[in-house]
Amino acid sequence: MVYHVTIDGMKEQHTKHVTYKIAYHFVWCPKYRKQILQGDVATFVESEIKRLCAENGWEVGALNIQEDHVHLFLSAPPAIAPSLIANTLKGITARQVFKQYPEVK
């Protein structure tokens, strides 16, 4: 895996009282691991994840979208729970994909 290289490339971040370098590795699959993340859908999912991360101030280290799962490596402030990050990314991305590509559902 090349994720250790990404950790070295990520910079320390600062808040008012904290200096941190936290990296989370998220992996998730579509329901029943269907191979739907191809072509336009994969491009849309990638752009949506990057948009959400930019909106929330999360730094994307690596993003890899394969046909049946997504690997995301990101850094976020320590005050934000990893479960909240996963729920935000998965939920909003799924709703947008179903709205944009109803045949996927």
Side-chain angles (χ1 to χ4, degrees):
M1 294 259 173
V2 293
Y3 294 117
H4 60 88
V5 174
T6 306
I7 291 173
D8 293 338
M10 296 178 96
K11 295 177 260 175
E12 293 177 344
Q13 296 174 326
H14 305 275
T15 62
K16 188 175 182 181
H17 300 286
V18 179
T19 299
Y20 62 93
K21 186 176 178 180
I22 299 175
Y24 298 111
H25 180 207
F26 296 100
V27 179
W28 70 90
C29 309
K31 192 171 185 178
Y32 305 119
R33 205 162 178 130
K34 290 186 179 177
Q35 297 187 356
I36 58 169
L37 300 172
Q38 302 172 358
D40 293 338
V41 176
T43 305
F44 181 76
V45 168
E46 182 176 356
S47 65
E48 193 67 18
I49 290 172
K50 288 181 179 179
R51 181 188 68 80
L52 288 169
C53 288
E55 268 182 18
N56 289 295
W58 304 329
E59 181 184 342
V60 175
L63 175 60
N64 184 2
I65 299 177
Q66 297 180 2
E67 294 174 345
D68 62 346
H69 65 281
V70 176
H71 281 272
L72 175 63
F73 196 73
L74 65 82
S75 177
I80 300 173
S83 61
L84 179 64
I85 297 169
N87 288 344
T88 302
L89 292 174
K90 290 173 62 177
I92 294 174
T93 302
R95 281 193 299 276
Q96 295 300 324
V97 166
F98 293 147
K99 189 190 310 181
Q100 191 79 12
Y101 302 97
E103 68 276 2
V104 168
K105 197 170 187 178

